[in-house]
Amino acid sequence: MIYDPSWIAVFVFFTFVGATVGLSFFLGRKAKSSAGYFAAHGQIPWAVNGIAFAGDYLSAASFLGICGMIASYGYDGFLYSIGFLAGWIVALFVIAEPMKRLGRFTFADALDAKFDSRGIKAAAGASTLVVSVFYLIPQMVGAGSLIQPLLGFPHWVGVVLVGIVVITIVVTAGMVSTTWVQFLKGSLLVVFSAVLVVLLLGRGFVAQPDAFESIGPIPVAGLNQAEIAGRRVLPATDGWQEHDDLVRFSRSDDVGFDLFHVQPAGEAQVILRQAQAIRRTSDGAMIDGAPLGREATQKELKPVGTLTKLPDGQSETGPLGPVSFFNTLGESEVVLWRNMTVEHEDETKSTVYFQKLTPGNEVLRPGEHPKFAGIRSDEPGGKLNFLSLMLALFCGTASLPHILIRYYTVKDGAAARKSTIVGIASIGFFYVLTLYLGLGAMTSGSMDLTDSNMAAPLLARSISTWLFAIISAIAFTTVLGTVSGLILASSGAVAHDILVGVVGMKLSEAKKVRVAKIAAVVVGAIAIVLGILFKEMNVGYLVGWAFSVAASANLPALVMLLFWKATTKEGIVASVLVGMISSLGWILLSSDTYKSVYGWDPELAYAPFSQPGIVTIPLAFATLIVVSLMTKPKAAAA
């Protein structure tokens, strides 16, 4: 799609960003010491910290990625929401109060509270950096996606812009400004998402059976004719001959071609439904064989997301209630879009998007997403992949460094517990809203085929330009808040854990803060590069990898330290390293990485399924137990 920026969107966007940066400079005076920079002096009110938890956690993955996945596949995207929310139970009942009691500034402080071990500081610091960088990737990708329709800039400009703004926030005021930015954007995100859902329900559903052209039904034998329904068929050459389910027709204006996908329509009958193809060449993108653009000799991708049928033959429903929304959708017919690849002789590729007419009740059931298809099959591999993902999401929340350090910003354990409860309530309410937003985007007629991450903002644009501007600006500040927390956690790991705790540098309070700010700049630069490289991937899926690494590397050591007295420092170091390396290695050897990152054949991947948690989390627990028993006197190991 080609996006047209509006002065409203530009004004709202820069107002939000300007206010965020201004707040950082205002609060910077409170962050001169390491206690102020890393932990806001432990003086954040628990209610504010609870909303800040939500602001920190409701990242680009939650708002952009999950809504986009629901819009593309239905209920399966909501499974991520369930996993994300369930993980807070672990945080509430296991982690909250002990984290506040054990640590000062970083995750390593808590693990090392009883041992004063350089090995623990090094392992925990390395784990913090790896998890933070992995979590940063989807945030930066989401930032770039927002900038395109909001301001009309390329994706990479958005990534660079958010990197610069976030580095400014972290460098100027540390945890103080980060907390208040997260509090404000968490509040605004929940409130305006609720407003968007209310407006969505008020609009209801509209059937658009003629949104895309169709031909037929026709006899299967008719596909071999030089003309179909009075239209001239183009010869299948240059890779198109490998796809007998695609038909290209010449256009009367000789600008590109009209593409149709052949689908069954009864015995010996087929129907041709309009498809869309994008081909990227050195000269730019081609849409259905014509240059991308809006001139007479150019074409652009049409927005998608339609219903072909409503219950009882209605053309529109009018306002719907929260329950009737699902009941009506379940009795309707939805047009989903899938894709295939056509390889051409010049080694370029066309991505062909084609329609898949789907009963509404199917988008409301699990197992439609390719990654979750195993839920309904008899193959154990698919079920293991799903269970592994859910385990990683459940265990990962209480293992994310930027979440854990937020417990240091309140005054005591009781405040830590209360802030967790406020966070759970806010996050849970928001995730219910994502189901409405995703399904609303699926049927709004405004989705971008090439970027599922923009489903929710484009849904807002289909209702109101002002709402689109506000939602997009809030989503951008959502990215700012989450990235700020991640970079702050990373800079703390470098300055406090590695340089002071491991290397043994003697740094004054002022120098420690200065080193942390330099580290923030470096980590921010790395995040910018990775955000550009991973542009094409859904941010919700990317964040699953970060949760897998966090759950494998951090949670086993933290849980065993709290509940098993025989835990040794050697056991903690081994557990963190084994969990981190095994999960990271598994991800790098998975079929998803082979296909989406390396561009290799996914069939060549060594990992039997994509999500490592079901293997690497128990492995880290087992490693800690075995190593602790081997390094502790037998009398004390009982």
Side-chain angles (χ1 to χ4, degrees):
M1 290 174 62
I2 299 174
Y3 296 109
D4 296 314
S6 71
W7 69 266
I8 295 175
V10 173
F11 171 76
V12 172
F13 172 79
F14 282 107
T15 298
F16 270 77
V17 173
T20 300
V21 175
L23 181 65
S24 298
F25 279 107
F26 175 74
L27 296 171
R29 54 191 171 83
K30 298 183 179 181
K32 302 301 183 183
S33 67
S34 57
Y37 184 79
F38 293 120
H41 297 288
Q43 297 301 310
I44 300 296
W46 60 264
V48 172
N49 197 53
I51 301 297
F53 265 133
D56 204 354
Y57 197 66
L58 299 178
S59 61
S62 293
F63 185 55
L64 302 179
I66 288 177
C67 288
M69 199 174 296
I70 294 172
S72 300
Y73 292 98
Y75 183 79
D76 284 341
F78 190 60
L79 292 174
Y80 274 85
S81 298
I82 295 172
F84 288 149
L85 182 61
W88 280 95
I89 304 302
V90 179
L92 175 62
F93 291 108
V94 179
I95 302 300
E97 293 190 47
M99 275 299 297
K100 176 60 183 175
R101 185 175 66 250
L102 290 174
R104 292 180 62 218
F105 301 146
T106 66
F107 168 61
D109 283 344
L111 280 189
D112 197 40
K114 299 179 181 179
F115 300 106
D116 192 22
S117 164
R118 288 190 176 185
I120 291 178
K121 292 185 178 74
S127 171
T128 297
L129 288 173
V130 169
V131 172
S132 296
V133 168
F134 257 80
Y135 206 94
L136 277 168
I137 296 173
Q139 314 309 320
M140 303 303 280
V141 171
S145 296
L146 280 168
I147 285 297
Q148 287 180 289
L150 192 63
L151 304 179
F153 294 154
H155 181 276
W156 70 268
V157 174
V159 175
V160 172
L161 181 59
V162 75
I164 292 173
V165 174
V166 164
I167 289 171
T168 302
I169 292 172
V170 174
V171 167
T172 51
M175 181 57 85
V176 180
S177 65
T178 297
T179 296
W180 285 101
V181 167
Q182 290 164 346
F183 169 77
L184 291 173
K185 66 98 170 177
S187 304
L188 291 172
L189 182 62
V190 173
V191 169
F192 278 95
S193 294
V195 170
L196 181 53
V197 169
V198 170
L199 294 175
L200 172 66
L201 294 175
R203 183 173 68 177
F205 294 124
V206 177
Q208 296 176 280
D210 301 322
F212 292 90
E213 190 178 354
S214 62
I215 300 174
I218 62 172
V220 174
L223 294 174
N224 299 321
Q225 305 299 316
E227 287 190 0
I228 298 176
R231 305 177 66 166
R232 185 167 63 87
V233 178
L234 291 176
T237 59
D238 192 23
W240 295 99
Q241 69 273 15
E242 302 297 328
H243 299 268
D244 56 8
D245 56 346
L246 295 175
V247 177
R248 292 180 305 149
F249 294 105
S250 64
R251 294 171 55 95
S252 58
D253 54 12
D254 292 325
V255 178
F257 50 79
D258 288 329
L259 183 63
F260 285 77
H261 184 246
V262 181
Q263 300 179 0
E267 185 175 351
Q269 297 277 310
V270 293
I271 189 168
L272 280 63
R273 301 190 187 279
Q274 185 180 355
Q276 304 185 74
I278 180 169
R279 180 179 182 180
R280 302 191 186 278
T281 69
S282 57
D283 296 327
M286 306 286 288
I287 306 298
D288 294 346
L292 173 65
R294 290 178 174 166
E295 301 296 330
T297 58
Q298 299 174 323
K299 293 185 69 175
E300 65 173 313
L301 290 173
K302 294 178 64 175
V304 302
T306 55
L307 291 166
T308 56
K309 296 178 184 177
L310 286 168
D312 303 321
Q314 301 175 83
S315 59
E316 57 182 274
T317 63
L320 296 168
V323 176
S324 61
F325 176 89
F326 296 110
N327 292 336
T328 303
L329 181 61
E331 298 174 10
S332 304
E333 184 177 68
V334 186
V335 180
L336 302 181
W337 289 77
R338 299 295 177 255
N339 64 76
M340 66 176 74
T341 301
V342 177
E343 299 183 1
H344 302 294
E345 294 171 0
D346 62 359
E347 297 186 353
T348 61
K349 298 178 180 179
S350 288
T351 301
V352 175
Y353 298 93
F354 59 92
Q355 300 179 56
K356 179 187 177 185
L357 272 61
T358 307
N361 59 354
E362 289 188 10
V363 302
L364 297 176
R365 70 181 186 184
E368 295 302 310
H369 193 286
K371 305 302 177 187
F372 299 150
I375 296 175
R376 299 203 307 267
S377 75
D378 296 328
E379 295 293 328
K383 290 182 171 61
L384 281 176
N385 194 51
F386 172 73
L387 291 174
S388 187
L389 172 63
M390 289 296 105
L391 181 63
L393 298 181
F394 183 75
C395 297
T397 297
S399 315
L400 295 171
H402 68 295
I403 295 296
L404 292 173
I405 63 173
R406 181 148 295 291
Y407 285 115
Y408 302 142
T409 65
V410 292
K411 64 179 182 179
D412 54 32
R417 186 178 65 252
K418 291 176 183 177
S419 64
T420 306
I421 294 172
V422 172
I424 290 173
S426 305
I427 293 165
F429 177 62
F430 175 80
Y431 280 146
V432 172
L433 298 178
T434 62
L435 187 56
Y436 288 95
L437 294 176
L439 295 174
M442 177 189 285
T443 57
S444 67
S446 61
M447 283 184 62
D448 184 345
L449 274 172
T450 63
D451 193 353
S452 64
N453 297 320
M454 283 305 300
L458 291 178
L459 169 64
R461 190 170 71 170
S462 72
I463 296 175
S464 163
T465 301
W466 273 102
L467 187 59
F468 163 69
I470 294 171
I471 288 288
S472 296
I474 291 172
F476 191 82
T477 55
T478 293
V479 176
L480 294 183
T482 302
V483 173
S484 299
L486 289 163
I487 292 181
L488 190 63
S490 301
S491 63
V494 172
H496 182 69
D497 299 335
I498 296 175
L499 293 183
V500 175
V502 179
V503 178
M505 294 178 63
K506 303 297 183 182
L507 298 177
S508 64
E509 291 288 296
K511 286 185 177 180
K512 187 185 291 187
V513 172
R514 191 178 307 123
V515 169
K517 292 180 177 180
I518 295 171
V521 174
V522 174
V523 174
I526 293 172
I528 289 172
V529 173
L530 294 174
I532 295 172
L533 292 176
F534 283 77
K535 170 186 173 182
E536 301 296 332
M537 296 193 71
N538 179 279
V539 295
Y541 191 76
L542 280 171
V543 84
W545 287 354
F547 272 68
S548 292
V549 177
S552 303
N554 298 344
L555 188 69
L558 190 56
V559 169
M560 296 302 285
L561 174 69
L562 295 175
F563 297 103
W564 192 42
K565 294 182 179 180
T567 300
T568 65
K569 61 183 180 182
E570 293 85 359
I572 290 176
V573 172
S575 177
V576 171
L577 292 178
V578 168
M580 178 176 64
I581 294 171
S582 62
S583 58
L584 188 58
W586 190 293
I587 289 169
L588 295 176
L589 295 175
S590 70
S591 58
D592 289 329
T593 307
Y594 268 50
K595 178 181 178 181
S596 301
V597 180
Y598 309 145
W600 298 347
D601 183 355
E603 297 295 328
L604 300 177
Y606 288 95
F609 46 89
S610 298
Q611 299 293 341
I614 201 167
V615 174
T616 55
I617 295 173
L619 178 62
F621 272 108
T623 298
L624 185 144
I625 293 171
V626 171
V627 174
S628 291
L629 291 175
M630 293 174 61
T631 55
K632 199 172 186 70
K634 293 183 178 179

